[in-house]
Amino acid sequence: MPSEFTLIDRYFARPTPQAVLGPGDDCALLAPSPGMELAITTDMLVSGTHFLPDTDPHQLGWKTLAVNVSDLAAMGAKPRWVLLAGSLPQADEVWIAAFADGLFACATRYGVDLVGGDTTRGPLNLCITALGEVHAGEALRRDGARDGDDLWVSGQPGLAALGLAHLQGRTSLPDSLAVRCVSALQRPLPRVELGLALRERALATSAIDVSDGVLADIGHIAERSRLDLEGSEGTLPCLPVGADPVLARDCQLTGGDDYELAFTASSDKRAELAALAVRLDLPLWRIGRAVAGEGRVRLLDADGQPVTLKHKGFDHFGQDQGQ
Ligand code: ADP
Ligand code: MG
């Protein structure tokens, strides 16, 4: 059986042009660019909680990294370096090779170097720490929304949850939509270019990535910015054609795992955001607005009446395991 160090050398030690020193010493050495702040995030994926034990390892490798890159995107940071701490039940080299390929495919797509980590034996558990850079004082935070701002969301939130429902046999999607939804679930595309553009052009006042469902995640902006966010049913993103509309709407509002960005922006940025959507070839939906309040989220129907929702989103320790 290969040793821990053989596994690291064989599968995880690849060139790290963005590091002063990559894997192999007690620490990696990194040199942040002048005038930049480091944005640092860590996320754990636990077998049985975040993914099924028989998940395809290539997809798992991609997703493990992608969910961390998404947090950097949400801050408007440029992803640069990552560390991988993995606990593996056995040294299954076919599995590890496929996992590493998926991880490095994502690393290449988003321009990050794997600069270090830890490899141990134990229940399957994968933890990435990702570091990015953002111009000092300019990160997109959750607490910057202002009364009167527009509320926006990118892409097609809900596809990942629909893909999960399809895989679990809770719904049956037409073939081409199923492919799209399952890909959204297994190979999410963090919105790094959007986050960078929002920061560079000072378009957004706050941002968050949508990992636990749109309503739940915008709730964090509302809370941290100390105002209410009102969505209007009539301006929600179009539903994917071919899906059960009730399920699709539920997935759109409360499904997790999409890794789209939700953000607030002043209403005088609408034209610039519309142009950005075209440039990035990514839909941007203006779904509501910020109003004075105490940190709540409401969805209003066509008559301006609040819509009652069954559940809001995913919370590992909450009563409402709404997924
Ligand atoms: P230490 O005992 O000094 O913490 P380790 O023996 O755990 O170091 O790891 C040896 C080197 O290999 C370190 O530079 C570490 O960052 C790197 N490393 C360990 N696991 C991984 C991994 N999965 N991916 C990338 N680098 C790794
Ligand atoms: Mg050491």
Side-chain angles (χ1 to χ4, degrees):
M1 192 146 85
S3 76
E4 171 191 336
F5 301 103
T6 308
L7 288 177
I8 296 166
D9 278 349
R10 212 172 266 172
Y11 300 107
F12 296 110
R14 296 209 190 168
T16 53
Q18 300 189 75
V20 178
L21 186 64
D25 212 313
D26 291 310
C27 292
L29 297 173
L30 311 174
S33 315
M36 304 293 263
E37 283 169 354
L38 286 178
I40 305 179
T41 179
T42 192
D43 250 308
M44 191 152 58
L45 274 81
V46 178
S47 176
T49 302
H50 300 93
F51 61 92
L52 301 171
D54 61 355
T55 298
D56 175 80
H58 191 279
Q59 284 159 357
L60 186 61
W62 176 286
K63 187 162 178 174
T64 304
L65 182 50
V67 301
N68 283 276
V69 168
S70 175
D71 283 319
L72 298 178
M75 302 295 288
K78 180 173 168 26
R80 296 210 56 192
W81 308 284
V82 295
L83 296 120
L84 167 67
S87 141
L88 308 168
Q90 69 256 327
D92 174 349
E93 287 197 70
V94 173
W95 192 96
I96 295 173
F99 174 82
D101 271 357
L103 184 118
F104 280 108
C106 187
T108 304
R109 162 69 180 80
Y110 290 99
V112 296
D113 289 351
L114 178 62
V115 297
D118 195 22
T119 307
T120 69
R121 186 192 289 267
L124 184 55
N125 182 352
L126 301 156
C127 183
I128 294 256
T129 300
L131 298 94
E133 288 188 318
V134 59
H135 290 69
E138 292 184 14
L140 306 174
R141 299 162 47 142
R142 296 177 180 188
D143 59 6
R146 292 180 300 229
D147 187 2
D149 279 353
D150 293 329
L151 172 65
W152 296 78
V153 69
S154 67
Q156 288 290 343
L159 294 189
L162 267 181
L164 182 65
H166 180 79
L167 290 182
Q168 293 178 332
R170 288 184 282 118
T171 193
S172 175
L173 301 173
D175 285 352
S176 63
L177 180 59
V179 168
R180 218 173 129 212
C181 291
V182 170
S183 166
L185 176 70
Q186 295 176 333
R187 204 169 177 283
L189 297 172
R191 301 306 185 190
V192 171
E193 292 82 5
L194 174 60
L196 289 173
L198 293 176
R199 185 211 59 77
E200 266 162 31
R201 293 151 193 247
L203 293 174
T205 52
S206 72
I208 190 167
D209 69 322
V210 179
S211 54
D212 296 328
V214 171
L215 292 180
D217 284 319
I218 63 174
H220 298 304
I221 293 184
E223 249 170 65
R224 298 296 300 276
S225 297
R226 295 166 194 269
L227 40 70
D228 288 358
L229 291 173
E230 277 180 357
S232 341
E233 263 189 325
T235 57
L236 294 175
C238 299
L239 295 176
V241 177
D244 164 21
V246 175
L247 175 68
R249 184 65 85 202
D250 193 45
C251 289
Q252 181 181 80
L253 293 172
T254 66
D257 259 6
D258 278 302
Y259 305 100
E260 294 296 344
L261 296 187
F263 57 96
T264 54
S266 165
S267 58
D268 61 12
K269 305 291 187 194
R270 287 178 191 174
E272 231 181 306
L273 285 163
L276 180 64
V278 173
R279 182 165 73 77
L280 297 180
D281 192 20
L282 175 69
L284 296 177
W285 310 86
R286 182 160 57 84
I287 60 168
R289 63 194 184 117
V291 296
E294 288 151 12
R296 295 204 186 82
V297 169
R298 283 183 294 281
L299 184 65
L300 305 180
D301 65 16
D303 302 321
Q305 296 304 308
V307 178
T308 312
L309 296 156
K310 269 202 316 250
H311 53 250
K312 265 195 173 169
F314 194 76
D315 170 359
H316 282 283
F317 295 103
Q319 300 290 312
D320 174 20
Q321 297 268 317
Q323 257 191 295

